[in-house]
Amino acid sequence: MSRLNLFFVVIFFASFCFAQPTMQVEELDTKNQIRLTYGSTQITLADEIFGFGVNGIKHLGFNSEFCRFTSQAVAAYLWEISFTNDSGAGGNFVNLTNTSDCIRSYTFDPVLGLSLTFSNLDLPGQPDSIDVNVTISPLPQENMTAWRLNIINRSTAYAVWNAKFPKIAFGDIDGDSNNSVLATSASDHGVYASKLTQSIEGLLSNLDYPGTSHMQYMAYYKATKGPQYYPSATRGPGLYLAAHDEHPVAPKKWSITCDAANVRWIFACTNYPEDIQTSKNYTMPYNHIIGTYQGEWFD
């Protein structure tokens, strides 16, 4: 290969590489938060003191915010894990969350993404028995990030019963309740507008997959001509929430509950380990995808 041809090959690959978005992270002085940016998706996490909870998810192209930040005094959500000391439903249950007492830290790599560590969590009579790791990684798909949860269980008395992850508090998009729409794959057609910040407890709390949830995704978007899809509508900001399982599919439960006091609605995906055993770790077997896009449920 001539030097000239080699030069153009290098320029081509350099241009291709630089065309891909790079994940970036920065610490914010205001409210001691961490901001993660990937393409048009920007995720704001609380400081480690507040458990790295999700305070905001923004579509930078529209400057549109999908979450409702209240204050650091209100704990932000990220994960909730239930442990049991019996393999049946009659056992005692203990819940730990990202705000439980532990040692928190994070590392970042532009290629691998953000890694959040929660070390030495306590269970009754079993101190320092649980470690939790959360990763948020960039994907080749534009603006999409992959979320994973891993649990190290050193407890000889408790097993992992289930893990709610991700768990995120959302609000009306840009504060506009009339045009904020959640599209689910529930059997009741699953398009909800102007209900999300009302009392919807139980309305969407049991969307099992496989089961009452027909597919493994939800779309939260700002509609321009009502909640349904119109080909002539101007595409607004959208947020994609999905479980991307490989075969075999992992059983899970989607839930939408209400935080009426703060006018927020809580999204969670509950994961279930295959074996309920003490001292057994849990590794989430798939990516949960979160990312921004332009459009409605059809897009």
Side-chain angles (χ1 to χ4, degrees):
M1 181 181 291
S2 70
R3 291 184 179 180
L4 182 60
N5 288 338
L6 179 60
F7 171 79
F8 284 115
V9 168
V10 170
I11 292 298
F12 170 79
F13 279 106
S15 300
F16 176 79
C17 292
F18 283 116
Q20 307 304 308
T22 300
M23 182 171 277
Q24 301 174 352
V25 72
E26 57 184 316
E27 294 183 357
L28 305 180
D29 292 333
T30 305
K31 299 175 183 175
N32 297 319
Q33 299 176 105
I34 300 171
R35 187 160 62 195
L36 187 70
T37 304
Y38 184 59
S40 293
T41 299
Q42 188 173 86
I43 301 162
T44 303
L45 304 178
D47 185 75
E48 64 264 22
I49 298 174
F50 299 96
F52 295 128
V54 180
N55 278 339
I57 301 179
K58 179 178 286 189
H59 190 310
L60 293 178
F62 289 91
N63 196 31
S64 290
E65 176 62 63
F66 295 91
C67 297
R68 180 184 172 94
F69 179 78
T70 52
S71 70
Q72 289 287 18
V74 178
Y77 299 103
L78 182 61
W79 56 262
E80 179 181 351
I81 303 169
S82 180
F83 297 85
T84 181
N85 62 357
D86 184 83
S87 59
N92 295 319
F93 292 89
V94 177
N95 289 339
L96 296 177
T97 74
N98 54 291
T99 59
S100 297
D101 289 337
C102 66
I103 300 171
R104 301 183 188 90
S105 61
Y106 79 90
T107 59
F108 175 74
D109 181 273
V111 176
L112 301 178
L114 183 68
S115 177
L116 308 171
T117 302
F118 306 78
S119 302
N120 302 108
L121 289 135
D122 300 336
L123 288 172
Q126 305 256 290
D128 303 334
S129 56
I130 302 296
D131 296 337
V132 177
N133 178 253
V134 169
T135 56
I136 305 175
S137 305
L139 288 175
Q141 292 84 3
E142 185 178 9
N143 306 325
M144 295 294 154
T145 59
W147 297 47
R148 290 241 185 178
L149 175 84
N150 295 314
I151 304 169
I152 297 176
N153 180 14
R154 294 182 293 272
S155 172
T156 57
Y158 284 85
V160 179
W161 181 255
N162 62 45
K164 292 182 180 179
F165 176 82
K167 184 176 181 181
I168 301 172
F170 290 101
D172 297 327
I173 303 171
D174 297 331
D176 186 353
S177 61
N178 294 326
N179 290 325
S180 297
V181 177
L182 176 70
T184 76
S185 56
S187 57
D188 60 351
H189 306 298
V191 176
Y192 299 91
S194 302
K195 296 180 181 178
L196 294 171
T197 53
Q198 300 174 16
S199 180
I200 59 170
E201 188 77 30
L203 182 64
L204 292 172
S205 60
N206 292 296
L207 295 178
D208 296 297
Y209 186 89
T212 52
S213 183
H214 294 238
M215 291 183 289
Q216 300 191 84
Y217 83 96
M218 295 185 186
Y220 188 42
Y221 58 89
K222 192 169 183 177
T224 55
K225 291 188 177 181
Q228 301 298 335
Y229 172 75
Y230 290 90
S232 61
T234 302
R235 306 294 195 268
L239 183 70
Y240 181 67
L241 304 164
H244 280 207
D245 294 27
E246 296 180 2
H247 186 77
V249 171
K252 60 185 65 67
K253 184 190 298 289
W254 308 86
S255 65
I256 304 297
T257 53
C258 190
D259 182 4
N262 295 301
V263 200
R264 302 185 299 176
W265 60 275
I266 316 301
F267 165 84
C269 181
T270 302
N271 305 271
Y272 300 93
E274 293 185 4
D275 299 314
I276 313 241
Q277 298 180 21
T278 60
S279 303
K280 188 171 183 63
N281 302 333
Y282 172 73
T283 299
M284 191 170 161
Y286 63 91
N287 288 330
H288 196 103
I289 311 300
I290 298 178
T292 59
Y293 68 97
Q294 182 175 356
E296 301 180 345
W297 66 265
F298 183 84
D299 301 281

